[in-house]
Amino acid sequence: MIRIHCPFCGPRDHSEFSYGGDGSITYPALDAPMEDWHDAVFLRENICGVQTETWQHTQGCRMWLSIDRDTMTHEIHKVRPCHPGVKTLLRTEQ
Amino acid sequence: MTRFSAWNVFWNGMTGQKGWDRQWRDATPKAHYDVVVIGGGLHGLATAYYLAKNHGIHNVAVLEKGWIGGGNAGRNTTIVRSNYAQPGNREFYEHSLKLWENLSHELNYNVMFSQRSHIALLHSPGAVDGAARNYNTMRRTGAPDAEIWGLPQLKATVPHLNYSADARFPIMGAAVQKRAGTARHDAVVWGYARAADQRGVDVIQNCEVTGITREAGRITTIQTSRGPIMAGKVALSVAGNTSRLWGMAGLGRLPIESHKLQAFVSEPLKPLLDQVVVFGMGGAHFYISQSDKGGMVFGGDLDWYKSYAQRGNLPIVQDVAEAAMSVLPCLGRVKLLRHWAGVVDMSMDGSHFLCKTPLDNLYLNAGWNYGGFKASPAAGWYLADLVANDRPDEKIRNFDLKRFERGLQIDERGAGPDPKLHG
């Protein structure tokens, strides 16, 4: 079982999360050439080692997280919110 | 090499089993081969065998980093079927099933192919309609053994499924392919290794590829842990490691992600289930058969996240156990003997790649998702054909890396370009 340290909820089992996929992809502009879209949608680095990926805390705060995880050892190196989230927003508004 | 026959078995039984040879030579790599097949799994060995048998190319090496039968060849649930509906897949898997039907005789090795029926349970009117459409397509295109069963026939054939009206997913019927079944995975891999070896192929174990040397758009030398090997042509057949080898060859990204798939086997039981039974409904997925030794062999979904580790996770164990209980409650007190995980090439449309590559003498066999085992004979057959004749056969013409650029997705599940969903 992988433990993911959700920045909003604290450490949780990965079964609370759903996997979003390769987080390193930047999608091109809507009017970008077809080849750019083909590459973004279909081609993958498929890294054996540390890759950036997205997970959603579906059974918790439902926030999307960007996670650096080793695809060989399942070790998690870094977890950060894809979006600052309500907590951070509230803090900055004070 | 001793040929297996009833007489041989009898004679060796009488004389202390002393008359058997090695099944294949422990080959030492030569400096040069006409064809080097990277990957000594079922597909790689089948490719080498058909290269020698169908095309007369005998100077062939199969490089295996571990041992024969230690990778995905030993990490599957041994189901063989051809109940596919998409054009391309249909003909391909049907060809594979026909090869399976004669494989024991062809290889002179009992692969224990057992055509015990593949029964996919149906739980909603929509599922019945969908299955009827697919199975009618099969019947119209050369698979006359596809049938849709109602409840009475299903109950008579598989009596101990959960037919209760209170079941979470009450069973309405089943889609059945009668010629489908199971085979003994180890026997298949050993049989192909032995048959290929008999035809002069060098099966080289403990030989890891560490680098690939290129010259002007061609591969010249394969660097291995047992020294450099020059190759006329190179066939890549390394499920789970395709992207890494692809990188070694200096090529870019592939439409593939490596995911892992778990499978399970229980303690041996008396005969309980004489078919392959498959349950899939919403997020739940479960397939089960009983091995000839009595163990219940079963599996479920992928682990849902990308991984190269050959070990599974607990949430899937729970998912599979829950699905098992909903379909076959009689398994509730059966002990799990072991479980394991294999790394699979999940492609972006759930179908495979059998094609030429940007390099002149490199040929690719990858992206089998869930379905590599049943495809072994045909994958070997068509990859050998591709390597020997340098052009794709009509049956594999669309299984190329450029199909997405052409707007073609061979997506049996209709799940879209998300590898983890192609179960």
Side-chain angles (χ1 to χ4, degrees):
Chain A
M1 188 79 81
I2 304 173
R3 297 280 274 179
I4 296 177
H5 285 255
C6 174
F8 306 106
C9 311
R12 294 288 193 275
D13 287 344
H14 83 275
S15 54
E16 284 191 13
F17 296 77
S18 74
Y19 178 66
D22 195 330
S24 66
I25 304 157
T26 42
Y27 287 96
L30 282 177
D31 56 354
M34 198 61 91
E35 299 82 66
D36 294 2
W37 273 101
H38 168 268
D39 292 0
V41 173
F42 295 110
L43 299 187
R44 294 289 178 268
E45 288 289 346
N46 200 18
I47 295 165
C48 178
V50 180
Q51 80 161 11
T52 304
E53 51 199 29
T54 55
W55 291 71
Q56 189 189 13
H57 197 177
T58 40
Q59 306 293 315
C61 58
R62 301 199 60 80
M63 295 302 280
W64 279 95
L65 307 174
S66 175
I67 295 181
D68 290 352
R69 184 180 64 98
D70 193 313
T71 57
M72 187 47 142
T73 64
H74 299 172
E75 191 183 351
I76 288 182
H77 293 281
K78 204 169 173 186
V79 183
R80 52 205 174 275
C82 291
H83 181 275
V86 178
K87 217 167 158 184
T88 327
L89 283 174
L90 287 175
R91 203 177 299 135
T92 45
E93 276 169 13
Q94 278 165 6
Chain B
M1 182 79 59
T2 318
R3 232 186 115 70
F4 290 120
S5 63
W7 166 249
N8 258 326
V9 171
F10 172 73
W11 180 250
N12 277 286
M14 300 302 287
T15 55
Q17 307 289 358
K18 292 197 179 81
W20 302 113
D21 303 328
R22 280 190 76 100
Q23 296 296 290
W24 58 86
R25 292 166 293 131
D26 186 18
T28 316
K30 292 190 278 184
H32 176 270
Y33 289 94
D34 293 340
V35 181
V36 171
V37 180
I38 303 178
L42 284 161
H43 288 210
L45 291 165
T47 305
Y49 169 70
Y50 291 115
L51 272 170
K53 182 181 173 254
N54 293 356
H55 306 284
I57 303 173
H58 300 279
N59 187 20
V60 177
V62 178
L63 309 185
E64 169 54 45
K65 73 170 172 179
W67 64 97
I68 299 302
N72 285 359
R75 292 167 189 269
N76 54 72
T77 44
T78 75
I79 297 167
V80 176
R81 59 186 172 89
S82 71
N83 53 351
Y84 284 77
Q86 295 283 310
N89 274 344
R90 211 162 55 214
E91 302 88 334
F92 181 89
Y93 287 104
E94 184 56 27
H95 180 74
S96 203
L97 186 54
K98 291 210 168 84
L99 290 171
W100 275 107
E101 285 175 328
N102 192 41
L103 203 58
S104 289
H105 287 113
E106 162 139 21
L107 300 179
N108 179 232
Y109 207 98
N110 184 7
V111 301
M112 295 162 72
F113 182 46
S114 158
Q115 294 180 291
R116 56 180 68 184
S117 298
H118 177 278
I119 296 180
L121 304 178
L122 304 170
H123 304 270
S124 70
V128 176
D129 290 349
R133 178 184 177 277
N134 287 354
Y135 278 54
N136 278 333
T137 309
M138 286 161 60
R139 288 179 75 99
R140 288 172 58 90
T141 53
D145 57 325
E147 295 177 9
I148 302 291
W149 286 2
L151 264 186
Q153 193 174 1
L154 186 60
K155 278 182 180 169
T157 314
V158 197
H160 28 258
L161 297 176
N162 184 2
Y163 294 106
S164 155
D166 302 334
R168 175 69 184 84
F169 299 110
I171 299 169
M172 293 187 72
V176 181
Q177 185 178 27
K178 288 179 134 177
R179 282 153 65 237
T182 60
R184 170 123 161 85
H185 52 344
D186 294 320
V188 186
V189 79
W190 296 332
Y192 267 123
R194 174 172 172 272
D197 177 88
Q198 269 176 329
R199 289 172 185 269
V201 171
D202 280 358
V203 179
I204 304 167
Q205 303 183 78
N206 298 310
C207 182
E208 185 172 359
V209 173
T210 54
I212 293 173
T213 311
R214 269 170 62 176
E215 220 167 86
R218 288 177 67 82
I219 291 174
T220 51
T221 312
I222 309 288
Q223 310 294 339
T224 76
S225 55
R226 298 180 67 175
I229 299 171
M230 288 197 291
K233 290 177 175 181
V234 181
L236 200 56
S237 193
V238 288
N241 289 299
T242 309
S243 295
R244 282 195 271 185
L245 269 293
W246 197 251
M248 277 185 204
L251 297 160
R253 297 183 295 171
L254 280 170
I256 282 174
E257 274 188 12
S258 296
H259 282 255
K260 73 187 142 42
L261 179 58
Q262 298 184 59
F264 308 80
V265 66
S266 78
E267 61 186 332
L269 306 175
K270 285 186 173 178
L272 168 72
L273 193 63
D274 194 26
Q275 299 85 10
V276 178
V277 172
V278 179
F279 159 72
M281 183 74 200
H285 190 192
F286 180 66
Y287 36 93
I288 188 165
S289 63
Q290 187 167 22
S291 80
D292 291 4
K293 208 159 65 180
M296 306 305 294
V297 183
F298 53 95
D301 263 317
L302 292 172
D303 279 7
W304 295 110
Y305 55 85
K306 222 198 90 174
S307 172
Y308 277 94
Q310 285 178 320
R311 60 191 168 89
N313 67 21
L314 287 169
I316 294 288
V317 178
Q318 189 177 350
D319 278 2
V320 171
E322 282 171 1
M325 286 304 289
S326 72
V327 180
L328 278 160
C330 59
L331 293 179
R333 302 182 75 92
V334 173
K335 292 189 187 72
L336 193 63
L337 193 61
R338 55 183 186 270
H339 96 280
W340 61 91
V343 182
V344 289
D345 287 341
M346 298 304 294
S347 69
M348 301 314 261
D349 63 350
S351 290
H352 52 274
F353 303 103
L354 259 176
C355 56
K356 299 182 72 165
T357 69
L359 299 183
D360 272 352
N361 61 344
L362 178 67
Y363 305 84
L364 179 67
N365 168 23
W368 291 93
N369 300 273
Y370 261 50
F373 181 75
K374 62 178 141 335
S376 304
W381 180 284
Y382 286 113
L383 184 60
D385 178 73
L386 181 68
V387 171
N389 298 319
D390 228 17
R391 53 100 192 97
D393 182 274
E394 192 58 29
K395 279 206 179 75
I396 59 165
R397 199 170 46 86
N398 281 326
F399 293 108
D400 63 332
L401 286 168
K402 299 255 181 200
R403 64 173 177 259
F404 305 123
E405 288 175 27
R406 298 198 306 273
L408 174 67
Q409 293 190 55
I410 308 168
D411 189 345
E412 201 72 34
R413 236 193 176 190
D418 191 345
K420 69 176 182 293
L421 299 180
H422 295 290

